[in-house]
């Protein structure tokens, strides 16, 4: 039994628990989430006039704190308790306080009954369980180390090397033999046949190179090394080659995790990368702000550019320039024939400022021209992804003139395509979710049938399960994206155990303690986003133009609202107009605070200005809502709403103009998986207020380099902003202090150099793990394929038939 429950029963609080259960049963809600539970508990304590010590420190208060959900069924209560991160216990409590442990299956049946979707006479439902496939893999023990998979894997691999050096050195030798570029052998040749020869020749090579000048170019002693058995790839100078061979020598003699990571990270094995991002309008101009087109496009473009830069630097250091080795990065997206003035109808587009980074657009097959000729919502594209992957494979093989070395999926659709491509091409697959919709839409799995016609979650959640389990490694932007916080469930954790009533039960959807999870935050594009104080890098004409646009320009087509006093410091936000981004919530917060209106202006760069211009239902609703708030609270003269699409150059300068005016940036999302705009604002030097729900909790250290807000509590949010403004009035240096600490936070932890170095290191180490481990993934992949063909594909074909009749 739960220690938390037992502690209550063994104390004098037993009757309090019984009374609280009575209050819960009197509540209309049958399904209480954590906030509901805490609110009900607080009301109970107030009603019973409990002292603050009981309210906060009693055994009952601890039980309530760790209770994630309560489900009412008849007179019984089902308590889902999460006393530890990534672990839950489930108990049924009867009115007389008898307690039964519930299995996962019983919990899922209870949830089904809650929505009247359970009938034992219909027979059992399909159970999806991935747990057996992780029995053969190393597993992390401590929840604190979740998301540090590569460090764990290095310790595991080096311990194996130490325990059985003969077997592992044989694996290392075979791994070094693998590497080629366009048919040219790299690293070692046939002169080294055994582990013993490898060890001896490494020492001979070290002795030889030690006689050379450190700056001696590799070309000058290339042939002497080839005679010893070493091909290009060890370094570009004598010093670099000596360093790399010395690391290998140390690894052979006394394997250690750090040595292993350092060595594998130097192996030249990643030259060609595919980034998969099918949905939305993927382009470099005129796309941001369109439906389904925002942060992911920015992220993928920046990642692609910086991956090329990093691979090129690695190639140079490895001494492969003499072989004319060139990195190539392809962003695989969807070709949209009716491209609405964008370049999304072009098959191939070179990415600006790069040598060999391309957007490759592959069209969906013409099952239904009315659909496939046009943009398709990310919720509607599931019918086309299997054939898209088949067509994309052919296009990629032609563009690369062979297979890529790494495939990185983005979002649910991109990850599914990445899995299908990886399976067919036998290439390492990396998963990046950006956002898992299951966490964003409350009870979306439980009521999926009611939502299916609009969102098609049955396919999306199935795709997520398949791709995340198939991936060789998963990159998340934050720790809590995986397993949340002590009082909230992580996005991936939400896939651990859930029901899709009438479709399937997931009893173990993902192993959260698997070393495949790694936290690698994205960076900021420093060429566009940099501190406002770097005046020498700013273009004065751009600054003046954007300052006028933000504060005074009259343009009824693109700007709504005129400021009575443009000199007031601005509260600024920039995001799409959809529910989750909650721009209307910020407007309402501003509208309900007379003090904020007296002190500041509200300036929003958000989507379109007119309902009729949008093809997205959610955006149309938010446009109408924003106008309603402005009129209801008479915000005229205090708000500016810019319905413009900005280039990245203008986007960066707009932040800096806001900083010039001693403004603040507010990111009010109801949930934010990471928050690139937060990094952009912080590096520009704007004091930043951001939602506490999601990634910003790890970016911002509250009241040190920014501020965390609860966007659902409008009064509290307004008060936090007012408190900051008050401190700025009392201390003229306070605004500057928070500004500078925000800039330093980004430069220390969130640059693309840090991101790409780590990502490429991960790809190499997981490539080494997959080669050397005895783990057989074929059984896992067969299971995933079975689920794909038995669950996903029939539903995708059904959706295709529905779309064809429209």
């Amino acid at each position: 039994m739960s220690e938390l429950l037992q502690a209550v029963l063994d104390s004098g609080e037993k009757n309090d628990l019984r009374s609280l259960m009575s209050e819960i049963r009197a509540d209309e809600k049958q399904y209480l989430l954590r906030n509901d539970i805490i609110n009900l508990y607080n009301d109970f304590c107030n009603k019973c006039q409990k002292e603050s010590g009981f309210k906060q420190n009693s055994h009952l208060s601890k039980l309530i704190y760790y209770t994630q959900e309560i489900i009412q069924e008849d007179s019984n209560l089902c308590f889902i308790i999460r006393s530890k991160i990534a672990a839950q216990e489930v108990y049924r409590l009867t009115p007389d306080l008898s307690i039964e442990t519930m299995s996962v299956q019983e919990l899922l049946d209870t949830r089904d009954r809650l929505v009247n979707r359970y009938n034992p006479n219909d027979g059992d439902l399909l159970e999806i369980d991935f747990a057996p496939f992780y029995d053969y893999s190393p597993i992390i023990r401590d929840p604190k180390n979740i998301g540090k998979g590569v460090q764990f894997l290095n310790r595991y691999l080096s311990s194996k090397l130490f325990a059985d050096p003969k077997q592992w050195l044989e694996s290392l030798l075979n791994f070094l033999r693998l590497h080629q570029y366009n048919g040219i052998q790299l690293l070692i040749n046939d002169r080294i046949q055994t582990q013993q020869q490898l060890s001896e020749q490494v020492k001979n090579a070290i002795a030889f190179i030690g006689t050379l000048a450190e700056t001696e170019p590799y070309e000058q002693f290339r042939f002497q090394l080839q005679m010893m058995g070493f091909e290009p790839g060890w370094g570009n100078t004598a010093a670099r080659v000596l360093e790399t061979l010395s690391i290998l020598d140390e690894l052979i003699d006394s394997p250690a995790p750090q040595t292993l990571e350092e060595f594998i990270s130097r192996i030249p094995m990643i030259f060609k990368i595919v980034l998969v991002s099918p949905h939305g309008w993927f382009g470099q101009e005129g796309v941001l702000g369109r439906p389904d087109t925002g942060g992911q496009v920015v992220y993928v473009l920046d990642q692609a550019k910086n991956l090329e830069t990093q691979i090129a630097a690695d190639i140079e250091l490895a001494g492969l320039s003499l072989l004319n080795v060139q990195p190539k990065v392809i962003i695989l997206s969807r070709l949209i024939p009716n491209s609405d003035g964008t370049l999304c109808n072009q098959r191939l587009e070179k990415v600006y400022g790069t040598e060999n980074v391309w957007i490759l657009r592959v069209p969906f097959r013409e099952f239904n021209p009315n659909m496939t000729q046009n943009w398709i919502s990310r919720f509607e594209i599931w019918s086309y992804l299997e054939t898209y992957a088949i067509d994309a494979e052919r296009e990629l093989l032609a563009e690369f003139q062979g297979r890529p070395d790494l495939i990185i999926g983005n979002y649910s659709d991109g990850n599914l395509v990445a899995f299908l491509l990886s399976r067919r091409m036998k290439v390492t697959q990396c998963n990046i979710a950006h956002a898992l919709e299951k966490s964003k839409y409350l009870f979306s799995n439980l009521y999926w049938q009611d939502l299916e016609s609009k969102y098609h979650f049955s396919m999306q959640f199935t795709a997520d399960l398949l791709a995340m389990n198939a991936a060789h490694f998963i990159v998340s932007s934050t720790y809590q994206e995986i397993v949340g916080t002590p009082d909230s469930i992580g996005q991936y954790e939400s896939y651990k155990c859930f029901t899709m009533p009438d479709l399937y039960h997931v009893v173990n959807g993902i192993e959260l303690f698997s070393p495949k999870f790694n936290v690698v935050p994205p960076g900021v594009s420093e060429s566009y986003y940099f501190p406002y104080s770097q005046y020498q890098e700013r273009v004065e004409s751009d600054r003046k133009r954007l300052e006028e646009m933000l504060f005074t320009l009259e343009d009824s087509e693109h700007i709504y609202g005129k400021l009575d006093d443009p000199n007031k410091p601005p509260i600024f936000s920039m995001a799409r107009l959809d529910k989750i981004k909650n721009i209307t919530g910020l407007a309402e917060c501003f509208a309900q605070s007379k003090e904020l209106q007296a002190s500041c202006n509200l300036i929003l760069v958000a989507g379109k200005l007119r309902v009729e211009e949008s093809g997205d239902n959610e955006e149309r609703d938010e446009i109408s809502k924003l106008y309603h708030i402005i009129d209801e609270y008479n915000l005229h003269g205090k708000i500016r709403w810019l319905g413009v699409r900005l280039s990245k150059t203008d986007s960066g300068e707009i932040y800096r103009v806001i900083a010039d005016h001693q403004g603040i940036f507010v990111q009010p999302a109801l949930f934010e998986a990471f928050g690139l705009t937060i990094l952009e604002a912080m590096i520009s030097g704007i004091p930043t207020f951001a939602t506490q729900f999601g990634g910003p909790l790890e970016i911002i250290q509250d009241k040190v380099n920014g501020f965390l807000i609860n966007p659902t509590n409008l009064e509290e949010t307004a008060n936090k902003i007012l408190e900051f403004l008050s401190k700025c009035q009392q201390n003229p240096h306070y605004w500057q202090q928070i500004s500078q600490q925000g800039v330093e936070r980004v430069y220390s932890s969130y640059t693309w150099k840090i991101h790409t170095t780590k990502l490429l290191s991960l790809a190499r180490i997981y490539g080494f793990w997959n080669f050397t481990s005895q783990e057989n993934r074929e059984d896992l992949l067969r299971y995933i394929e079975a689920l794909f063909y038995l669950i996903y594909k029939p539903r995708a074909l059904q959706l295709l038939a529905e779309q064809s009749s429209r």
Side-chain angles (χ1 to χ4, degrees):
M1 185 190 298
S2 163
E3 292 178 8
L4 293 165
L5 268 170
Q6 191 65 57
V8 175
L9 296 178
D10 291 345
S11 71
E13 300 169 16
K14 195 171 180 179
N15 285 333
D16 292 311
L17 175 58
R18 185 179 283 112
S19 299
L20 178 61
M21 289 174 64
S22 179
E23 293 287 328
I24 292 170
R25 283 194 293 268
D27 193 277
E28 291 181 359
K29 290 183 178 176
Q30 285 185 287
Y31 204 131
L32 282 76
L33 296 177
R34 190 170 183 278
N35 279 348
D36 302 321
I37 297 164
I38 289 173
N39 289 337
L40 197 145
Y41 173 71
N42 289 335
D43 291 343
F44 165 77
C45 289
N46 293 334
K47 180 179 176 181
C48 298
Q49 298 182 330
K50 296 291 185 182
E51 295 177 356
S52 61
F54 178 92
K55 192 174 180 179
Q56 296 170 11
N57 300 314
S58 63
H59 295 295
L60 184 57
S61 72
K62 289 176 183 172
L63 171 64
I64 291 302
Y65 179 80
Y66 289 111
T67 299
Q68 204 70 31
E69 303 168 25
I70 295 176
I71 303 172
Q72 294 194 56
E73 188 172 39
D74 300 325
S75 57
N76 300 325
L77 298 179
C78 169
F79 275 64
I80 295 122
I81 299 170
R82 184 175 176 267
S83 56
K84 293 185 292 187
I85 278 179
Q88 71 173 25
E89 308 162 65
V90 189
Y91 301 95
R92 181 183 288 113
L93 275 72
T94 64
D96 64 355
L97 294 189
S98 64
I99 299 171
E100 302 171 15
T101 301
M102 293 176 64
S103 67
V104 170
Q105 286 85 351
E106 288 175 314
L107 171 62
L108 298 180
D109 285 344
T110 300
R111 287 174 171 159
D112 286 354
R113 283 194 293 270
L114 184 71
V115 291
N116 297 318
R117 294 290 183 180
Y118 176 81
N119 185 348
N121 297 322
D122 292 343
D124 290 334
L125 204 59
L126 170 67
E127 286 189 352
I128 296 176
D129 186 359
F130 283 96
F133 301 105
Y134 290 92
D135 287 347
Y136 310 105
S137 302
I139 294 295
I140 292 168
R141 301 290 177 201
D142 190 339
K144 291 197 298 292
N145 292 326
I146 291 173
K148 300 176 182 175
V150 77
Q151 290 97 315
F152 174 85
L153 204 52
N154 286 332
R155 289 195 299 272
Y156 180 82
L157 289 171
S158 56
S159 70
K160 286 281 189 181
L161 265 168
F162 188 77
D164 190 351
K166 186 173 182 181
Q167 179 192 334
W168 279 86
L169 285 176
E170 183 69 27
S171 296
L172 181 61
L173 174 63
N174 291 334
F175 185 68
L176 293 175
R177 282 194 184 119
L178 276 182
H179 302 295
Q180 297 183 340
Y181 178 80
N182 287 351
I184 300 171
Q185 184 63 38
L186 304 178
L187 297 174
I188 61 173
N189 58 39
D190 290 341
R191 288 186 171 85
I192 296 176
Q193 292 288 335
T194 66
Q195 313 158 38
Q196 186 63 35
Q197 285 179 332
L198 176 65
S199 181
E200 290 171 358
Q201 290 299 75
V202 165
K203 293 183 188 302
N204 290 338
I206 288 171
F208 162 67
I209 296 167
T211 66
L212 304 176
E214 287 188 354
T215 56
E216 184 86 1
Y218 168 70
E219 301 94 288
Q220 301 300 317
F221 55 90
R222 173 184 178 183
F223 295 110
Q224 289 94 321
L225 282 184
Q226 281 183 317
M227 295 299 292
M228 296 183 189
F230 297 100
E231 293 294 334
W234 298 96
N236 59 338
T237 64
R240 179 73 179 183
V241 173
L242 181 61
E243 200 175 66
T244 307
L245 288 171
S246 297
I247 295 168
L248 176 57
D249 188 43
E250 184 182 346
L251 183 63
I252 292 170
D253 290 344
S254 53
Q258 190 174 352
T259 312
L260 180 65
E261 180 172 1
E262 196 175 358
F263 177 68
I264 299 297
S265 295
R266 288 181 177 227
I267 293 179
M269 53 190 279
I270 308 289
F271 308 113
K272 304 168 184 177
I273 298 180
V274 182
L275 308 177
V276 189
S277 181
H279 75 255
W281 303 81
F282 202 103
Q284 300 179 80
E285 292 179 354
V287 298
L288 294 183
R290 292 173 181 266
D292 294 345
T293 307
Q296 183 171 313
V297 172
V298 175
Y299 178 107
V300 173
L301 278 170
D302 284 345
Q303 187 186 58
K305 293 176 188 176
N306 286 279
L307 278 170
E308 182 195 43
T309 301
Q310 189 59 48
I311 297 170
D314 292 346
I315 287 169
E316 176 65 31
L317 277 175
L320 297 181
S321 299
L322 62 92
L323 300 179
N324 198 29
V325 175
Q326 297 291 328
K328 185 166 188 174
V329 180
I330 288 179
I331 300 167
L332 176 65
S333 193
R334 184 196 158 213
L335 187 144
I336 306 173
N338 294 336
S339 61
D340 194 25
T342 71
L343 296 181
C344 293
N345 61 348
Q346 287 194 7
R347 176 182 175 273
L348 208 57
E349 179 185 354
K350 190 175 182 184
V351 173
Y352 304 146
T354 68
E355 292 294 322
N356 209 7
V357 180
W358 302 84
I359 302 170
L360 172 65
R361 300 187 183 92
V362 176
F364 287 163
R365 288 192 190 173
E366 289 277 312
F367 296 111
N368 176 9
N370 290 333
M371 292 285 290
T372 53
Q373 289 286 319
N374 301 299
W375 166 82
I376 302 174
S377 162
R378 71 184 189 276
F379 297 117
E380 294 271 345
I381 63 174
W382 306 105
S383 314
Y384 307 98
L385 295 183
E386 184 185 10
T387 51
Y388 175 82
I390 293 167
D391 297 342
E393 179 191 12
R394 184 175 59 251
E395 299 283 342
L396 288 168
L397 290 171
E399 288 299 321
F400 283 126
Q401 297 184 325
R403 296 184 306 165
D405 303 308
L406 175 65
I407 299 173
I408 302 175
N410 293 272
Y411 192 74
S412 302
D413 56 331
N415 285 319
L416 183 68
V417 173
F419 155 62
L420 295 170
L421 288 170
S422 170
R423 178 70 168 139
R424 292 170 65 90
M425 301 169 87
K426 295 180 170 47
V427 174
T428 301
Q429 174 200 349
C430 167
N431 237 61
I432 302 179
H434 295 290
L436 291 163
E437 302 287 352
K438 187 171 173 295
S439 304
K440 289 164 62 175
Y441 292 83
L442 195 59
F443 298 133
S444 51
N445 60 289
L446 204 55
Y447 294 97
W448 71 271
Q449 283 141 308
D450 301 331
L451 301 167
E452 189 72 355
S453 61
K454 184 176 182 181
Y455 293 114
H456 306 290
F457 284 143
S458 66
M459 281 165 280
Q460 181 154 14
F461 299 167
T462 305
D464 288 333
L465 280 172
L466 304 185
M468 66 177 65
N469 281 286
H472 294 91
F473 67 102
I474 297 173
V475 164
S476 72
S477 297
T478 62
Y479 172 84
Q480 64 180 300
E481 189 179 322
I482 308 169
V483 286
T485 64
D487 56 6
S488 67
I489 289 176
Q491 291 188 62
Y492 282 97
E493 188 180 358
S494 72
Y495 283 77
K496 179 80 174 170
C497 156
F498 67 96
T499 175
M500 301 283 282
D502 293 333
L503 186 61
Y504 54 69
H505 281 173
V506 176
V507 295
N508 202 320
I510 184 69
E511 177 51 75
L512 299 167
F513 289 83
S514 167
K516 71 166 60 179
F517 282 105
N518 291 272
V519 177
V520 187
V524 184
S525 180
E526 295 168 53
S527 56
Y528 296 104
Y529 303 100
F530 52 84
Y532 76 101
S533 55
Q534 294 180 10
Y535 297 108
Q536 71 280 4
E537 296 180 39
R538 297 175 65 179
V539 177
E540 181 62 15
S541 59
D542 286 347
R543 186 193 68 77
K544 287 182 176 177
R545 172 175 57 83
L546 293 170
E547 185 171 49
E548 182 186 12
M549 185 175 78
L550 281 169
F551 295 98
T552 58
L553 180 67
E554 294 187 17
D555 178 359
S556 59
E557 187 176 347
H558 300 106
I559 300 171
Y560 180 82
K562 183 177 180 181
L563 300 178
D564 292 339
D565 183 1
N567 294 317
K568 286 181 184 176
I571 297 172
F572 177 65
S573 194
M574 181 158 55
R576 297 190 312 275
L577 268 174
D578 60 28
K579 273 186 185 175
I580 208 77
K581 293 298 182 184
N582 195 36
I583 289 292
T584 53
L586 174 59
E588 200 159 4
C589 172
F590 181 76
Q592 291 180 9
S593 173
K594 295 296 182 187
E595 294 91 341
L596 276 183
Q597 293 174 44
S599 304
C600 305
N601 291 315
L602 179 61
I603 300 178
L604 307 172
V605 175
K608 298 178 172 65
L609 294 183
R610 296 168 189 84
V611 171
E612 61 272 15
E613 291 175 353
S614 175
D616 184 89
N617 291 333
E618 196 166 276
E619 185 179 40
R620 287 202 292 263
D621 291 344
E622 291 297 291
I623 291 170
S624 299
K625 186 176 178 181
L626 189 48
Y627 279 120
H628 177 73
I629 291 167
I630 293 169
D631 291 337
E632 181 184 1
Y633 292 94
N634 191 23
L635 297 181
H636 303 287
K638 302 165 186 173
I639 186 170
R640 292 263 286 180
W641 171 10
L642 283 66
V644 293
R645 290 198 189 107
L646 298 171
S647 66
K648 288 182 75 172
T649 302
D650 283 354
S651 174
E653 187 59 27
I654 269 187
Y655 286 117
R656 292 187 286 273
V657 170
I658 295 294
D660 291 336
H661 286 254
Q662 301 274 287
I664 64 170
F665 178 79
V666 181
Q667 203 273 31
L670 299 174
F671 176 82
E672 181 59 64
F674 182 66
L676 274 176
T677 56
I678 294 164
L679 295 183
E680 293 165 1
M682 288 172 72
I683 200 172
S684 303
I686 312 176
T688 298
F689 293 71
T691 180
Q692 67 188 29
F693 301 122
L697 198 61
E698 291 178 40
I699 298 172
I700 290 176
Q701 295 155 315
D702 194 30
K703 299 179 183 176
V704 176
N705 44 44
F707 304 87
L708 295 167
I709 58 171
N710 178 351
T712 64
N713 190 327
L714 304 184
E715 184 178 358
E716 181 185 276
T717 298
N719 287 338
K720 281 199 171 185
I721 297 172
L722 288 166
E723 183 184 353
F724 170 77
L725 296 171
S726 174
K727 285 186 177 180
C728 290
Q729 287 180 343
Q730 295 164 19
N731 176 4
H733 301 295
Y734 186 63
W735 187 96
Q736 187 61 47
Q737 176 188 327
I738 297 295
S739 166
Q740 185 58 35
Q741 286 168 345
V743 171
E744 290 170 2
R745 174 67 172 162
V746 177
Y747 278 127
S748 67
S749 305
Y750 297 103
T751 68
W752 279 112
K753 170 71 175 171
I754 296 170
H755 174 93
T756 52
T757 301
K758 182 74 179 288
L759 180 60
L760 290 171
S761 175
L762 290 175
R764 294 179 182 115
I765 289 163
Y766 282 93
F768 178 61
W769 160 251
N770 292 328
F771 177 79
T772 56
S773 77
Q774 300 303 307
E775 180 186 25
N776 181 8
R777 281 170 44 90
E778 190 60 25
D779 52 355
L780 167 65
L781 294 172
R782 288 294 184 187
Y783 183 65
I784 290 171
E785 281 182 340
L787 295 174
F788 177 84
Y789 288 110
L790 290 172
I791 300 173
Y792 180 93
K793 187 166 182 175
R795 300 199 67 81
L797 292 173
Q798 183 183 336
L799 175 59
L800 184 62
E802 291 171 11
Q803 291 170 335
S804 298
S805 64
R806 291 178 191 173

